[in-house]
Amino acid sequence: MNLVKPLVCFLVCSISFSLNAQQSSDDLKIWFSHPAGNWNEALPVGNGRLGAMVFGYALSERLQLNEETVWSGQPKDFVNPEAKAALPVIRKLLFDGKYAEAQKLAQEKMMGKGKQEASYQTLGDMLIDMEVPQNARENITNYRRELNLETAISKVVFTAGNTIYTREVFSSKPGEALLVRLTASRPGSLTFNLKLQRPGNKALIQYSDNGISLSEHTNNGIGVKLVSKTSVMNEGGTVEAKSTHLHIEKADAVTILLTANTNYWKGDPETLSQAQLSKALTTSYQNHLDAHIADYQKYFKRVDLDLGQTNATYFPTDTRLAALQSGNIDPQLIKLYYQFGRYLLISSSRPGDLPSNLQGIWSDGLSAPWSADYHININIQMNYWLAEQTNLSEMHQPFFDFINALRPDGRKTAKDMYGMKGIVAHYTTDAWLFTETSGNVKWAMWPMGLGWSAQHLWEHYLFTEDKKLLAQHYPIMKEAAEFYVSWLTENPVTKQLVSGPSTSPENAFLTKSGESATMVMGPTMDHMIIRDLFENTIAASKILRKDESFRRSLENKLTQLAPTRIGSDGRIMEWTEEFKEPEPGHRHISHLFGLHPGRQITSQKSPELLTAARKTIDFRLANGGGHTGWSRAWIINFFARLQDGAEAYKNLIALLQKSTLPNLFDTHPPFQIDGNFGATAGITEMLLQSHSGEVHVLPALPLAWQKGYIHGLSARGGFDIDIDWTEGRLEKLTVLSKLGNPCIIRYKDQALKISTVKGKSYTFDSLLRPL
C-alpha cells in the first residue's frame, strides 16, 4: 500500500494555519506503526550520559545501550619531534609558492608519529524475549511505538491475542538509571526472559537473584573498565536466575532498572553502579517517573514553537517524512524536528558529563564512525550552537569543562610541536584529550581547534553576563590567544601578520602547475577565528579589569592581521590566492566563519563582505554544496544571517529530504548528530538574531510560515523573547529583561531602544509600540 502520494494530496488540501485549532496529542511525538527495521529507525533516550536506542520489537525487544565514557584507548603522546625545526622551513616554502614541496615536508615532519587509536563503544544490549501463547504470537495487532518529546519517554504498545502489552523506557537523571516498565491489560500476563550482551564476547555477565552484572575491561585492557548493574522489581509472579538470563513468570507488572559506570572519572565503577542501583530500588516506579518528567521539562518547556497546523500528526513520522520528500507541506514536522534537536541536547549533555560527541551518546558496536570522537573543526561547535539561543544554557557546561580539560595537553603540544606559549589543539580530539595532530595534512595541519572552541566561552557570557564564570573562562581564552600571538608571522611581501602553515578545513586547491595542495600561509578562516578570539579576549579583559598590557598587545596584533579579501569574481577568498578549486562544492564553507558563527560580516560592519558572502555560498551550492547533513545545516544558518528566509527554508527542506533518517537523526552519511543541532540553531536564527548588538525579530521569516509563534528564546544581553506573527508579519513581541540591560529591538526597518528593569517584561505591537 502506497501511503505517500495520497498523504501528499490529503495534507496539501487540508492544511490549516489556525493556531486555535485543536492540537493533536501526537504533536510532539515521533511515532511509527512498526518496529525498527534497523538502528536508524530506533528511538533514542538519554539522561546526558546513560542512553539507549529502543527498537520496539513486540515480542523480542532490543535496547542498544550506551554510557558516555565507554571508550577504548588511553592517553597517548605522539608529537612529531621534528616539527619544531621544520616549521620555519615549511613557512618559507609556502611564502615562495612551493606548495606541493611544503605539503610533502609537513606530512613527513609535522604529522604525529603514530596516531590515537581509540573509539567510543556501545555498553551492550538489553534483550527482552516475551513468552505468549502461539495463537497470540501470530496475532499481533494495534502496534505503535513512539518517543514523546514532552516527557522524554519511549513507549511501545501492541495487542497479542486478547492482551494489550505496554512498555515504557526512559533514562532518569535524578535516578541515574535507565528504567523499563512492562505492563499488560490482563493480570499475570508478563512472562519473559531478560538478558544482557556485549559485542566481542569478552564481557563477564553474571545472573543471580539480585539481578544481572556486566563487566569488562574494554579493548583487551586498553580502555576503560565498565560495570553495569540490572535489577528487576516485579509486581506479582516470580523472578528466577538462570545461567544465561533472568526468567520472569506470570507477573502483573515489571520495572527493570539498569545503571552503568566506568573508571573514566577515576571512581570505582562497581561501587558506583551498585550504589546507584540500590538507591533506585528504594523508589517506586511512579516516583521515578514523576521526578524524571519534572527534571526534563524544566528545560524542555522553556521554548514553545508553532508554525501552523495540518492533519499530518495523525500519520506515522516515517510516512510524513516520505511525504515531505515528495513535496508535501508539513510545518508540524519542522516543529517536531526543531524540538527533537533540543531534546537530543538535553538527553546527551548535562552538567558534569562529557560533551555530546559526533553521535551524541548513541552509537552501536565497538568501532564507531570517525570513532564518534570530538571533531573540533566544526562538528562539536555545531553541537552547541543551539544551547544559549534555545534557552538550554546549562547544557553548554560540558563543552566548557571539556575545553578546560584540553589545556594541559594543549600547553605541551604548543611547546613541543611549535616551541610556543599558550595552548593549541588541531582538528580533532577524543575522550583522552589529545591535542597533537596526525594523519593527512589536508585535514590535520590546522591548529585552530581551541581558538574556535573558545568562542563558546565568550558567547555564554554575552547571553548571561555571568562575570564569575567569565573569570573562570578567561584564562582559557587568554592562553589560546597567547598561542596565536606567537604563531602569527609576518608575510615578507605584504608585511601583514598571517597564520600558517594551515589549511581551510579538509579542502584543497590546485597550484599553477596543476598539483593538488592544501596548505598556505594565511587561510581566511584562520584569520577570522584569530580575529574573533582576540576581540573576545580584549573585551573580557576589560570587563574583568585585568591584563592591560596583554590586551594592548592583542589590539596591536589586530591592526597588523591580514584582512578578509574579496576575489576578482566577487567572492570571499578562501586562500591567499585565487586558486582553481578541485571541489567547488566542498562541504566545508570555512571562509564564511565570519558570517556564522562569527559576527564579523554584518550589514552594519561590512556590507561589502555581506554581498561577497552571498556570492560565495551561491557558488558553493551551484556546484553541489550542502551534500552532507551538517553542511546543509550550516547553510541554513548562513542564509538566516543573510536575512534570506526563502533560501534558508529551501535548505531546511533539503536537509529533511536528503539528509534525515527515518527516526529524524541527521545523516552525513552515516548518522552524525551535529546536523540535528545545527538545523535547530538555524531555525532559531531565522526567527531571532542578536549577534550584531540588536534583538532582531523575524530576520529571515519564510513565506511558508505565515502564522505562528515562538516563545522563550534567549538573546544576548540577558533577554528572553516571545514572538507572535500573522500573515507573515509581526503581531506581538514580548521581551523579558533578566539583567536590566538596555535593549535595541529591530523589526524590518524599524528600530527601538528601550531601558529595562531586571525581571520586568515589555510587550510591543507590530509597529514596536508598547502594549
Side-chain angles (χ1 to χ4, degrees), residues 346-420:
I346 298 169
S347 302
S348 65
S349 182
R350 293 289 194 101
D353 295 340
L354 285 172
S356 181
N357 65 40
L358 273 178
Q359 295 191 238
I361 56 171
W362 301 279
S363 182
D364 198 7
L366 301 181
S367 182
W370 296 282
S371 303
D373 63 10
Y374 300 101
H375 267 55
I376 47 178
N377 66 355
I378 186 172
N379 309 95
I380 192 172
Q381 290 91 342
M382 184 179 284
N383 283 5
Y384 288 92
W385 286 349
L386 78 161
E388 302 294 339
Q389 59 184 186
T390 72
N391 220 329
L392 295 175
S393 186
E394 297 92 337
M395 311 310 151
H396 217 163
Q397 188 63 45
F399 189 26
F400 303 155
D401 294 341
F402 188 75
I403 297 167
N404 188 51
L406 289 171
R407 289 168 72 192
D409 196 69
R411 287 188 203 105
K412 186 176 185 303
T413 298
K415 179 182 177 182
D416 294 352
M417 185 171 178
Y418 299 114
M420 297 179 185

Side-chain angles (χ1 to χ4, degrees), residues 8-19:
V8 172
C9 179
F10 175 70
L11 293 182
V12 170
C13 293
S14 63
I15 187 168
S16 166
F17 289 97
S18 171
L19 298 183

Side-chain angles (χ1 to χ4, degrees), residues 5-244:
K5 290 185 178 178
L7 178 61
V8 172
C9 179
F10 175 70
L11 293 182
V12 170
C13 293
S14 63
I15 187 168
S16 166
F17 289 97
S18 171
L19 298 183
N20 296 318
Q22 178 66 39
Q23 291 278 353
S24 164
S25 60
D26 295 330
D27 202 35
L28 284 175
K29 292 178 182 176
I30 302 171
W31 71 275
F32 302 87
S33 57
H34 58 83
N38 55 58
W39 194 90
N40 293 326
E41 296 179 4
L43 293 170
V45 297
N47 70 353
R49 67 171 192 90
L50 181 63
M53 293 292 287
V54 183
F55 282 70
Y57 302 132
L59 301 179
S60 57
E61 177 64 287
R62 178 192 177 199
L63 273 65
Q64 184 267 310
L65 307 170
N66 284 106
E67 200 280 341
E68 65 167 5
T69 61
V70 178
W71 274 83
S72 64
Q74 59 189 355
K76 188 176 181 181
D77 184 0
F78 48 94
V79 167
N80 191 322
E82 298 180 275
K84 198 185 306 183
L87 179 62
V89 180
I90 293 168
R91 283 179 162 176
K92 186 175 187 309
L93 288 170
L94 290 172
F95 279 132
D96 291 343
K98 299 177 180 178
Y99 300 107
E101 190 176 340
Q103 184 165 320
K104 182 179 178 182
L105 186 62
Q107 187 67 55
E108 178 185 347
K109 303 293 186 180
M110 302 203 76
M111 295 302 98
K113 293 297 185 181
K115 62 179 181 178
Q116 177 65 300
E117 295 176 344
S119 180
Y120 183 54
Q121 296 186 343
T122 182
L123 175 65
D125 294 320
M126 177 187 290
L127 303 177
I128 302 171
D129 292 322
M130 306 285 293
E131 294 182 8
V132 299
Q134 185 61 37
N135 62 334
R137 296 184 72 88
E138 297 170 356
N139 187 25
I140 305 296
T141 59
N142 302 319
Y143 178 92
R144 176 180 168 122
R145 67 184 173 98
E146 68 180 34
L147 174 62
N148 188 335
L149 300 186
E150 287 198 281
T151 60
I153 297 171
S154 177
K155 186 176 181 180
V156 178
V157 180
F158 60 91
T159 301
N162 296 318
T163 304
I164 302 171
Y165 294 89
T166 303
R167 286 195 298 269
E168 293 180 320
V169 183
F170 62 89
S171 188
S172 169
K173 190 62 177 178
E176 287 293 358
L178 180 77
L179 288 92
V180 183
R181 175 73 168 178
L182 298 91
T183 58
S185 62
R186 293 172 179 265
S189 295
L190 291 172
T191 297
F192 61 92
N193 294 328
L194 173 67
K195 67 182 295 184
L196 298 183
Q197 65 181 21
R198 190 166 195 272
N201 298 316
K202 294 180 180 179
L204 174 63
I205 304 174
Q206 298 172 302
Y207 297 89
S208 69
D209 292 340
N210 294 323
I212 311 172
S213 176
L214 181 152
S215 61
E216 183 179 339
H217 195 166
T218 60
N219 197 32
N220 297 315
I222 305 177
V224 299
K225 295 178 180 179
L226 66 86
V227 174
S228 177
K229 299 287 185 178
T230 302
S231 191
V232 171
M233 295 194 299
N234 57 302
E235 299 169 28
T238 61
V239 178
E240 183 181 1
K242 304 287 188 177
S243 61
T244 59

Side-chain angles (χ1 to χ4, degrees), residues 560-697:
Q560 302 174 65
L561 185 62
T564 300
R565 297 167 59 199
I566 299 174
S568 60
D569 60 0
R571 291 185 291 144
I572 290 176
M573 290 176 59
E574 186 167 5
W575 315 94
T576 49
E577 299 179 45
E578 295 187 64
F579 296 111
K580 289 183 178 180
E581 304 169 57
E583 291 185 75
H586 197 269
R587 60 193 176 278
H588 284 264
I589 314 177
S590 304
H591 45 316
L592 293 190
F593 173 93
L595 176 65
H596 184 279
R599 57 188 186 280
Q600 296 162 33
I601 301 176
T602 67
S603 57
Q604 298 96 324
K605 285 184 178 180
S606 49
E608 71 287 350
L609 288 179
L610 200 67
T611 300
R614 177 57 190 256
K615 290 183 178 181
T616 302
I617 192 170
D618 286 346
F619 180 86
R620 269 290 207 268
L621 285 171
N623 287 278
H627 51 277
T628 68
W630 65 262
S631 179
R632 184 73 68 177
W634 199 3
I635 289 166
I636 298 167
N637 286 272
F638 286 146
F639 277 118
R641 289 280 176 96
L642 290 168
Q643 299 174 29
D644 190 333
E647 286 298 318
Y649 179 77
K650 177 181 175 181
N651 281 276
L652 173 60
I653 297 302
L655 177 67
L656 289 165
Q657 290 177 332
K658 300 176 181 180
S659 300
T660 301
L661 297 166
N663 62 0
L664 299 189
F665 270 165
D666 171 75
T667 182
H668 180 280
F671 162 55
Q672 274 187 205
I673 205 167
D674 42 17
N676 288 104
F677 294 140
T680 294
I683 294 168
T684 307
E685 291 274 346
M686 293 167 71
L687 301 176
L688 179 72
Q689 295 175 20
S690 61
H691 62 287
S692 61
E694 303 173 332
V695 174
H696 193 168
V697 179

